[in-house]
Amino acid sequence: MTSSTTVRSPHRLFGRGGELAIIQGLLARLWQGDGGVLVLAAPPGLGRTALLREAAAAHRSRGPVLYATASAA
């Protein structure tokens, strides 16, 4: 009998406190019934996906999370 263990390490976003605070603020407005928009525009590799994953993880316990895929303009 073999046993496998999955070790998960939480994503750590160093130096992204400002961006995470903005996202949390938008999520707080969403939970109160208001809306908002955030446009993440940056070259590849600067952490946009990591920020969106953090937002999704924060919201997941409160309701469904919709994912979309970006494409070049």
Side-chain angles (χ1 to χ4, degrees):
M1 176 181 212
T2 60
S3 173
S4 66
T5 303
T6 302
V7 177
R8 292 185 176 223
S9 173
H11 291 160
R12 294 182 181 160
L13 301 176
F14 295 105
R16 302 307 289 266
E19 292 94 340
L20 290 172
I22 291 169
I23 292 171
Q24 290 302 321
L26 287 171
L27 286 173
R29 289 179 56 189
L30 172 66
W31 296 326
Q32 294 171 358
D34 294 329
V37 175
L38 174 65
V39 176
L40 297 174
L46 293 181
R48 292 170 300 175
T49 300
L51 288 169
L52 294 175
R53 284 184 180 149
E54 182 73 19
H59 182 71
R60 191 168 287 117
S61 65
R62 295 181 179 247
V65 175
L66 175 65
Y67 288 92
T69 301
S71 63

